[in-house]
Amino acid sequence: MTENQKVKKWVDWAVDLCKPNKVMWIDGDTKVLDELRNAAIKSGELIKLNQELLPGCYLHRSAINDVARSEDKTFVCTTKEEDAGPNNNWRPPKDMYTRLEGLFDGCMSGRTMYVIPFCMGPVGSPFAKLGVEITDSIYVVLNMDIMTRISPDVVKMLDSANDFVKCLHSTADLNEDNRLICHFPEDNGIWSINSGYGGNALLGKKCFALRIASYQAKQEGWLAEHMLIIGIENPKGEVHYICAAFPSACGKTNLAMLIPPEIYRKKGYKVWCVGDDIAWLRIGPDGRLWAINPENGYFGVVPGTNRQTNPNALATIATDTIYTNVVHNLDSNTVWWEGLDSNPPENAVDWRGEVWNGKTAAAKGAHPNSRFTTPARNCPCLSPEFENPMGVPISAIIFGGRRAKTAPLVYQARDFAHGVFVGSVLASETTAAQTGAVGVVRYDSMAMKPFCGYNMGDYFGHWLEIGKKLGDKAPAVFNVNWFRTDENGRFMWPGFGENMRVLEWILARCNDEINAIDTSIGYMPRPEDINTDGLGNKMPPMQELLRIDKELWQTEIKSIKEYYQTFGDHLPRQLWTELENLEGRLK
Ligand code: OXD
Ligand code: MN
């Protein structure tokens, strides 16, 4: 319970609307959480896995119509449509509140309402923000306990807080037709109904820490970004911090937990993970940009995680983890997924809950978007600065998409404003994993297209403003592309841990230790500036990886123009100038 009258009033209002049988406050008490876990095991919502092999680990299978973020059912409801921008679905707040009140009316009858005060960011940090999530799902309670900070200290903070984000959630009857994830940035509110999926239901994550926070950040002069944060320690023991934005499913968690190749490890290089998905960035007292990770855990994609791609993630998810929609190995009572090893279980149940034999089955056993929810404290390379209330100072910002031909392995923006341009035209090409044509360019500016809680044209303007305030203390901005392919469609760059070689060049640039070639698109390394020692048969064709195809870039300029036009007057004039300058340089 809290002393905060505003919170009490809001909870009372939610009780009147949702009509639960019982209300239960969650403050992180382990006895209470254990009881809830046991109740979920009893009802079948959770399966207790082999506690000798996977201590503290559980398996959950979602409804089969509820396995990913529902972008078409996600709305930003601002008074004026243009404030939401072409990047968001929009409805007038009044209309949406009326529809939601109808759906929430009595949705918790016969159920318990859980009230969870939570903190995004280290408790006591001036960067941190409070929320309260109301939900009727034990799975959501247990996931929120991993992903956010929940404790009696947080309840105490809430007692005297003026501000908190109101997060109302119900799984209701999981009816897709009535599924809605709605944001009311002007009221600090989120309403989500008919989904239990992480991105739709753990409202601290995408809904609060990105959509609502990006809106708050615009008002308050900071940035809420879809970025990992890592610290790279060099042999001298100095640590430089980098933020990186990649669209979903481009390997952010792998980069966030990177283990440097042996030749780097021998020299004393280490990579520390501060965050794998979200960064809140503010200008510090020294005028530099500082970042915290507002989350307390990782909600990562499971398939493809293995000893080669991400050994740190594999170690992290061996304990205290909730697995969602992976294969249940009935012989060992453990879990399996595609890409773990080449030894799928024969006596198993797939993510749909059906009998599955990995040796003979045609269909995949784990859902391609199956997930782990796991606490940050378990990560072997967790940064010692993870709980630092001031965060870490950022030397470089990296943007990266999935491009077969256009973008080279790496280039550096000419200055911060050019970096904003580079981030604004971040794009990925569709792969066979998506429906529709392959190779279509989709813009995902700063990897924030699905997560920016206001008009992206204004968001670009906000980035430029932050750049002006930072002046010559602004971090250097880079673009990377791990996904360039050869004429046979094979990736040219080995990726994963070897990405350290590109990070080394990026840091050398930040520290003014190496010259670069001034090209039409930005500053680039000479092929010999990327260290390829010890790559053996993974030796990449560096010339090809760094080639700029001017014709492709001219085509790119045409599609950037079309994209920019969608923002009308909201697109800052300065970005048009950056585009014209690029066009001029390419001639
Ligand atoms: C995520 C996403 O789940 O970006 O992190 O979709
Ligand atoms: Mn993400």
Side-chain angles (χ1 to χ4, degrees):
M1 253 303 210
T2 174
E3 299 304 315
N4 187 319
Q5 291 307 318
K6 265 205 229 165
V7 178
K8 275 188 178 165
K9 224 169 119 194
W10 176 66
V11 173
D12 287 347
W13 163 87
V15 169
D16 279 350
L17 177 65
C18 305
K19 305 178 182 60
N21 272 20
K22 202 173 135 190
V23 179
M24 204 169 156
W25 285 74
I26 303 291
D27 69 356
D29 184 333
T30 46
K31 232 176 93 204
V32 171
L33 292 170
D34 284 344
E35 276 165 24
L36 292 180
R37 217 170 272 119
N38 288 335
I41 292 165
K42 216 163 149 201
S43 71
E45 198 176 344
L46 283 186
I47 294 166
K48 189 173 187 172
L49 294 167
N50 183 326
Q51 296 298 298
E52 265 161 44
L53 298 174
L54 297 167
C57 293
Y58 298 84
L59 168 66
H60 169 79
R61 281 195 286 267
S62 75
I64 50 181
N65 73 356
D66 191 26
V67 292
R69 282 187 290 103
S70 315
E71 289 184 15
D72 57 326
K73 300 173 197 304
T74 300
F75 291 82
V76 168
C77 306
T78 43
T79 310
K80 286 197 275 173
E81 180 170 5
E82 65 173 324
D83 288 346
N87 45 297
N88 283 304
N89 298 315
W90 174 84
R91 289 282 183 284
K94 220 165 125 258
D95 296 6
M96 196 52 106
Y97 279 134
T98 305
R99 176 149 186 228
L100 286 166
E101 275 164 13
L103 291 172
F104 272 91
D105 190 359
C107 68
M108 296 188 191
S109 65
R111 301 184 187 179
T112 301
M113 171 188 276
Y114 305 99
V115 184
I116 321 168
F118 63 94
C119 179
M120 300 307 289
V123 175
S125 162
F127 291 27
K129 286 197 176 272
L130 297 174
V132 180
E133 177 154 352
I134 289 179
T135 180
D136 53 7
S137 156
I138 295 181
Y139 173 76
V140 167
V141 173
L142 298 175
N143 275 271
M144 286 293 285
D145 179 55
I146 297 173
M147 294 304 295
T148 72
R149 274 113 170 150
I150 297 174
S151 68
D153 281 346
V154 172
V155 178
K156 238 184 260 151
M157 275 167 79
L158 187 67
D159 283 344
S160 55
N162 273 327
D163 238 5
F164 65 99
V165 177
K166 293 169 280 198
C167 307
L168 180 59
H169 169 257
S170 171
T171 51
D173 54 8
L174 294 176
N175 177 351
E176 254 179 301
D177 296 337
N178 288 329
R179 184 169 297 161
L180 284 171
I181 297 94
C182 300
H183 304 73
F184 300 91
E186 292 156 0
D187 302 335
N188 254 354
I190 304 160
W191 297 48
S192 164
I193 190 158
N194 280 308
S195 170
Y197 173 75
N200 298 333
L202 310 179
L203 300 185
K205 192 173 178 63
K206 302 298 188 181
C207 299
F208 175 172
L210 289 176
R211 296 194 193 95
I212 296 290
S214 62
Y215 181 91
Q216 295 175 326
K218 166 88 161 70
Q219 321 291 317
E220 298 165 9
W222 52 284
L223 294 166
E225 298 299 324
H226 191 200
M227 290 178 172
L228 63 86
I229 312 165
I230 51 175
I232 301 167
E233 182 173 334
N234 67 20
K236 286 185 258 173
E238 300 159 343
V239 186
H240 295 278
Y241 295 91
I242 286 178
C243 280
F246 294 80
S248 304
C250 281
K252 275 220 323 282
T253 304
N254 292 343
L255 185 60
M257 298 182 187
L258 180 145
I259 294 182
E262 199 183 340
I263 59 155
Y264 286 87
R265 288 202 305 274
K266 275 193 179 149
K267 282 189 224 163
Y269 279 94
K270 274 191 204 123
V271 174
W272 300 104
C273 176
V274 182
D276 79 324
D277 196 39
I278 298 176
W280 284 358
L281 300 136
R282 285 175 201 258
I283 301 175
D286 61 354
R288 295 182 69 190
L289 197 59
W290 290 69
I292 61 155
N293 169 13
E295 299 191 282
N296 202 23
Y298 312 112
F299 180 68
V301 174
V302 181
T305 305
N306 63 45
R307 232 168 278 288
Q308 276 74 45
T309 57
N310 196 338
N312 277 328
L314 210 57
T316 308
I317 64 180
T319 48
D320 312 320
T321 298
I322 300 175
Y323 290 91
T324 302
N325 290 341
V326 296
V327 173
H328 187 197
N329 180 339
L330 296 177
D331 288 333
S332 56
N333 190 21
T334 58
V335 283
W336 188 87
W337 52 85
E338 278 72 20
L340 172 65
D341 56 35
S342 49
N343 191 25
E346 292 176 53
N347 178 23
V349 172
D350 69 5
W351 73 272
R352 295 165 184 270
E354 284 167 19
V355 172
W356 189 81
N357 179 338
K359 295 282 186 309
T360 56
K364 289 201 158 105
H367 188 278
N369 192 35
S370 51
R371 296 279 176 154
F372 54 73
T373 320
T374 194
R377 63 166 190 274
N378 281 1
C379 178
C381 60
L382 183 68
S383 166
E385 301 301 317
F386 175 68
E387 291 286 356
N388 188 328
M390 294 313 293
V392 293
I394 298 303
S395 301
I397 290 176
I398 302 176
F399 295 112
R402 193 180 269 274
R403 302 302 300 264
K405 300 280 174 236
T406 317
L409 179 63
V410 59
Y411 66 97
Q412 180 183 0
R414 311 174 78 80
D415 54 31
F416 195 82
H418 180 225
V420 175
F421 167 78
V422 169
S424 77
V425 301
L426 180 60
S428 269
E429 281 144 26
T430 50
T431 65
Q434 281 137 326
T435 47
V438 171
V440 178
V441 177
R442 287 208 186 138
Y443 288 98
D444 186 354
S445 304
M446 279 83 172
M448 278 288 278
K449 161 84 193 12
F451 308 117
C452 181
Y454 63 102
N455 190 315
M456 272 207 125
D458 300 338
Y459 165 82
F460 301 146
H462 181 51
W463 262 83
L464 291 168
E465 280 303 311
I466 294 277
K468 270 194 220 141
K469 285 194 191 135
L470 286 164
D472 60 5
K473 301 229 168 84
V477 182
F478 297 82
N479 189 274
V480 300
N481 177 26
W482 316 135
F483 302 96
R484 195 173 254 201
T485 52
D486 63 16
E487 60 287 355
N488 299 313
R490 278 188 299 246
F491 292 123
M492 288 194 250
W493 178 247
F496 301 106
E498 310 300 349
N499 292 336
M500 180 67 209
R501 298 164 188 277
V502 175
L503 299 181
E504 184 186 26
W505 182 77
I506 286 174
L507 286 184
R509 288 295 295 160
C510 292
N511 296 333
D512 263 335
E513 290 165 1
I514 195 166
N515 287 327
I517 309 174
D518 189 352
T519 75
S520 49
I521 62 168
Y523 301 123
M524 288 186 61
R526 294 169 304 165
E528 60 271 30
D529 291 338
I530 302 288
N531 184 353
T532 52
D533 290 353
L535 273 176
N537 59 5
K538 284 198 266 180
M539 188 60 83
M542 284 313 302
Q543 297 276 5
E544 263 313 294
L545 276 162
L546 295 171
R547 201 165 59 81
I548 302 167
D549 183 327
K550 288 205 171 179
E551 256 172 55
L552 279 180
W553 276 88
Q554 260 132 16
T555 314
E556 186 82 5
I557 282 181
K558 279 197 207 116
S559 61
I560 293 173
K561 276 185 189 160
E562 280 169 27
Y563 175 60
Y564 270 8
Q565 272 155 2
T566 63
F567 298 103
D569 291 347
H570 287 264
L571 196 98
R573 177 67 234 159
Q574 200 173 348
L575 291 189
W576 281 116
T577 307
E578 289 290 345
L579 181 60
E580 282 154 21
N581 292 346
L582 172 64
E583 198 168 9
R585 290 195 300 267
L586 281 163
K587 279 205 177 112

